[in-house]
Structure formats: structure tokens, C-alpha cells
Amino acid sequence: MKCQEVIQLMQRDLDGDLNKEEQHQLMDHINGCHSCTEMFERLKHISSELEQLPKVTPPVSLVDQILPQLEEIDQVNIMETQAYDTGETEETSTTNTKRTSFTTLFKKARPTIAFLGTSAAAVILIVVLTLNSEDTLFNEVAEESASENIMEDSVFMKENTEEIFDNDVEEFDDQTALRIESEDANQSAGSRSGDGGESGSEKGYESESGEAFESGSEESIKTPFQEEEMTSITFSESFNHMEGMLSPDGQYVVNIRVVEEGGNELIVQKVNDQEILFTLAIEDHLTITKIKWLEDSQFILLQTSDGEKQYNEQIDIFNPMKPSQ
Amino acid sequence: MVEPEIIKNAQNGDREALIQVLREIETHIYRTAFYILGNEHDAMDAAQESLIKIYSKIHLYEEKALFKTWIQRIVTNVCIDKFRKKKVNVSIDEHEMVIKGDDNVEKEIISAYVAKDIEEAIAKLPEHHRTVVVLRYLQDFSYNEISTSLDLPLNTVKSYLFRARQQLQKLLHDYQKGGVQG
């Protein structure tokens, strides 16, 4: 047994995770290996130090300190309920939602306009955006409120997933004051993604395959919009279809390429010399719904969907054939 | 830790029960925040924010999950969020500390990163490694419970924990050897 494997055993032993046989293997090796004996001692030392960390307690009662805020929350809840009963809330929140989201969308649309390159197209684009507003706008808001904490390079990936794809966003959203608004938005986002095959992400993704580009000017105006929509809803903010997405350490870049025979490919390259680390074929029936670098710049989170189910895969860029999960 | 009965009452709108729940968990919440954020002031902030969240989201807790993993998930999220906001001013140290593979552990840690005690060493861990260590040692969580709290695959939990201990032993070992190496 190699020392590296033995260290793995030591680690698990510290957590009481070894069976009898494994314990024997560990002890057998350690008895004959000086450096492993030393390492085991050091790890045991660390573990016992960690166990003895002071069990700190708050200097004053935290609950006492937040009681006034908790009362405020109760007040707001009561007011919301009353407002809801008289039907005001819905009205107000819808208005708010629209206003917020239009600003957001307008901001987000700018790169797309640059991409089109003509101001006339930009005007049309904005008209399209406005006409299309109802459901897409809600999505924007849903995403906004959901992603508040977590759209950065979060390593806690499933959480991201939930936040963006589920109706259950509320669990982690932030200010209570925003609650009605985001709930509303979530509902719309939810009902929309419930449309089955016509969900925003799929449309957006198909457009990438080039079909939409060939089918006339109207489509080609809409296409960047859809792509934009897809980017903002389903991909991390930092994904750029032209340049791919950089790893947190800036050394690698991941991109998607459409394969002529159908399906897509994930390509990971080194930034400095463009050397391709690997390409990974994504099966035809799967739509990529999300790509994200984990913080260590070693793993890419790939989320795909076949229209019914979502699949999460963590790809080790140095060992892409063996997904870690 | 907290009686399921009280949680249920709290979820059904019993305000007293909810306050009691918060009182019972505040120390656990604070402890996690303290070791992730590394100081009392930030820990107080994060713990209070977490408690307020729990107060307003209690109806979203589902019994099929353990209550303790649910609350730890909330506090770790709050902490990581705070940590990130702070980190903007703190330079890029984090990325330099990131370890690419078990084999490279020894090489990756620069000799400047030595620590004189375990708390200082924990503060030098990347945030997700630190979070796993805190849940394992301060909350006595199993691999599975950590995995649920952080929504991380079991293997990732193990690898973070193992790497963290490796880093910690390295950090402290270097200090004992007199700090600078090679």
C-alpha cells in the first residue's frame, strides 16, 4: 500500500470511519514506515487540538438583542396580510416588480446591443424586450432576489441550483421587506419553467445551434435576446459566450462548442497557450443549463437537463473522465 | 438539541415557542460564526442575522431534514456571504492557499503561511475548508450531516476535511520547525 493511500486511511480513522480490516492495514503499514508514523502523530495531534477548541458562547444573549427587530418583522407581516386581504398588495408588488426588472434588463441588454453593432437593431431589441416583458421580466427579478448572496463564485453548488431553478427560492432570500415581491416573481418564474419543452433555457440554447440565425432577420434580432436571457437565468453571470468563462485563478477557460453532427462540446483550455486540456461531448438530448467553476479552479460544475430531470456533474479538469460524483 | 414539539409549535405560529427555539440554538449558531469569521464582532453580526432569518423562515423548515443541519446551513450561508464581502479588501491570499491535489499539499503551501496556534491556522484555511472543519469539530457533525448542511457531495466533504487537516498540520509543523522552510 502506498503512503498516500495510507494517509487517506489515517484521515478516515480520525473520523472513526474505518472498519476492522482497514484499521489493520493502517497499523501494519505504520509499523514499518517511519514517515507515516510521524504523519499520523501530527494528524492525530491536529485532530485533538481541534476537538479541544474553546466552546465559545456569545458575550450577551443574541435573542434579547434582536427582539425589537423580530417585533418589526411581525408588524410587517401583519400589515402585509391586511394589505393582501384588501387586494392592494398584489397591485403594488406587480408595479414594483416591473420597475425594478426593467432597469435590470436594460442594463443587461447593453452587451447584447454592442454585439449586434447597430443602434437600429438596438432599438428594435428594446421594443422586443418590452413586448416580451411580462414573463421574462419576472424571471429576471426572481433571479435577482434569489441570487443576491450566491451568484458569486459559490462552491455550494446545489444551493445555487435551488435558488435559480426552484420555486423554493424563498428559503434563502434576503430581506423580509422584499418578500412579497420575490414570492410573486418566483411564482411567475415557476409557472413559466413549468411550460415544459418551451422553457427559456431550451429556447435560448437552441438558438445557439445556429438555426435561428438562418431563419430571417426577425429571428436574428430575437436571438441575442434569448441568448442573453439564457445567460442571465441559467448560467452564472460570468459566462460569456464569446470568450468562455475563466477559472477563479484565471488560468483556465471553459467554453461550449456546437458540434455539427448534433450535441455540444465542453472545451477546457489553458489561457496562456490555448492548449486544450480536454473536450467533453454533451449528448444530443441534453441541454446545458449551467456551468460554473468551483473556487479551487479544479472542478467545473456542469448542470444539464433532458427536459424532465436535471443532472449535476462535477468535472475534475485534470481528470475529466472520472466525474467526482 | 431542540425538541421537535417546540419546533412544530413554532411553525404553527406560536411566537413564544419560536423565541424559545432561537434561545436554544443561539450558542450553536454563534460558535459556528465565530470560527468561520474569526472574531467576536463579525460573529455577533452573522449570528443575529441568522437568527432573524430563522425567525422569518421557520415555516420553510421541513421535518425530513434535521433541524440542526437546517440552521447550520443558514448560518454558514450568512457567514460565507459576509466573508466574501470582506474579502474584497483582503487581497487574493485565498486563491494562493487553494490546493490543487493531495499530492501537492506540501508544495502548495508557501512557507510564509505559518501559524503559531490552531485558531490562527484555521483562519488561514480557504473558507469552504474552514466551514467543513467547523461543522465537524465544533458541531460534531458526521460527514453526512456536513454534506446536507452545505449541499456538498459526500466525497467533496471528505476531501475538504482531509485537505484542511493536512494544511493545518503543515501550518503548525512549519511554525514548530522555526517558520521558514526552503
Side-chain angles (χ1 to χ4, degrees), chain A residues 4 7-8 10-17 38-39 42-43 45-51 53-67 69-71 73-74 77 148-150 152-159 162 168 170-176 179 183 248-249 251-252 294-299 314 318 324-325, chain B residues 15 19 22-23 26-27 29-31 34-35 40 43-44 47-49 51-53 55-57 59-60 62 70 73-74 76-77 80-81 84-85 87 94-95 98-103 106 117-119 122 126-128 131 133 136-138 140 143 150-153 155-156 158 160-166 168-170 172-173 176:
Chain A
Q4 198 57 44
I7 291 179
Q8 191 85 358
M10 294 177 194
Q11 290 274 12
R12 288 176 47 214
D13 189 47
L14 297 174
D15 302 315
D17 193 44
E38 242 183 38
M39 175 58 84
R42 291 215 294 267
L43 285 174
H45 174 70
I46 287 293
S47 195
S48 88
E49 290 234 2
L50 288 168
E51 272 158 22
L53 280 170
K55 302 276 185 275
V56 291
T57 52
V60 289
S61 162
L62 299 175
V63 175
D64 285 346
Q65 297 215 316
I66 56 168
L67 281 176
Q69 280 157 280
L70 300 184
E71 262 162 40
I73 293 173
D74 290 338
N77 281 345
E148 221 161 39
N149 318 345
I150 322 181
E152 307 134 76
D153 287 340
S154 171
V155 77
F156 300 119
M157 47 170 185
K158 215 171 128 201
E159 173 185 292
E162 280 172 13
D168 203 24
E170 222 203 315
E171 183 172 341
F172 286 96
D173 76 0
D174 251 334
Q175 283 90 31
T176 326
R179 208 158 58 93
E183 263 171 15
D249 66 6
Q251 290 195 42
Y252 306 97
L294 297 196
E295 216 168 281
D296 56 9
S297 297
Q298 186 189 344
F299 292 96
Q314 223 176 300
F318 304 116
S324 72
Q325 200 194 348
Chain B
R15 189 169 185 274
I19 300 282
L22 296 189
R23 287 194 193 283
E26 70 168 30
T27 302
I29 299 260
Y30 174 77
R31 203 168 282 160
F34 180 86
Y35 282 103
E40 186 183 292
M44 290 281 283
Q48 290 180 345
E49 193 179 326
L51 289 167
I52 291 170
K53 253 178 200 184
Y55 185 85
S56 46
K57 311 284 179 200
H59 58 285
L60 293 173
E62 288 174 31
W70 187 72
R73 169 203 278 239
I74 290 174
T76 50
N77 275 327
I80 283 163
D81 191 36
R84 295 233 167 98
K85 280 179 189 152
K87 205 178 70 180
E94 266 269 316
H95 285 310
V98 171
I99 286 174
K100 307 237 159 45
D102 285 353
D103 293 339
E106 303 260 324
D117 64 28
I118 188 84
E119 281 186 46
I122 291 174
E127 66 192 44
H128 42 282
T131 307
V133 165
R136 161 72 178 81
Y137 285 98
L138 276 310
D140 274 325
Y143 295 151
L150 303 181
D151 260 334
L152 287 174
N155 279 337
T156 310
K158 283 190 210 174
Y160 285 171
L161 180 61
F162 295 177
R163 286 180 199 180
R165 280 195 294 236
Q166 278 273 34
L168 290 173
Q169 70 84 17
K170 176 73 180 154
L172 293 170
H173 187 63
Q176 282 150 10

Side-chain angles (χ1 to χ4, degrees), chain A residues 32-178:
Chain A
C33 178
H34 178 68
S35 68
C36 279
T37 310
E38 242 183 38
M39 175 58 84
F40 196 29
E41 283 312 313
R42 291 215 294 267
L43 285 174
K44 278 199 285 197
H45 174 70
I46 287 293
S47 195
S48 88
E49 290 234 2
L50 288 168
E51 272 158 22
Q52 287 164 30
L53 280 170
K55 302 276 185 275
V56 291
T57 52
V60 289
S61 162
L62 299 175
V63 175
D64 285 346
Q65 297 215 316
I66 56 168
L67 281 176
Q69 280 157 280
L70 300 184
E71 262 162 40
E72 255 174 55
I73 293 173
D74 290 338
Q75 289 300 320
V76 171
N77 281 345
I78 291 168
M79 276 159 58
E80 277 174 9
T81 319
Q82 286 168 348
Y84 188 77
D85 289 342
T86 58
E88 277 169 36
T89 315
E90 220 171 347
E91 184 83 352
T92 328
S93 75
T94 312
T95 323
N96 284 344
T97 307
K98 274 185 188 157
R99 196 178 52 224
T100 327
S101 50
F102 187 76
T103 330
T104 319
L105 247 191
F106 190 69
K107 232 170 24 200
K108 283 191 177 161
R110 271 186 209 149
T112 318
I113 294 164
F115 177 65
L116 283 175
T118 73
S119 56
V123 172
I124 299 169
L125 178 66
I126 290 168
V127 172
V128 173
L129 293 182
T130 320
L131 291 176
N132 264 328
S133 62
E134 273 315 301
D135 53 2
T136 35
L137 289 178
F138 280 122
N139 275 327
E140 288 285 339
V141 176
E143 186 224 349
E144 272 242 310
S145 61
S147 58
E148 221 161 39
N149 318 345
I150 322 181
M151 273 312 268
E152 307 134 76
D153 287 340
S154 171
V155 77
F156 300 119
M157 47 170 185
K158 215 171 128 201
E159 173 185 292
N160 257 340
T161 318
E162 280 172 13
E163 300 251 332
I164 297 166
F165 295 98
D166 286 0
N167 294 346
D168 203 24
V169 183
E170 222 203 315
E171 183 172 341
F172 286 96
D173 76 0
D174 251 334
Q175 283 90 31
T176 326
L178 285 173

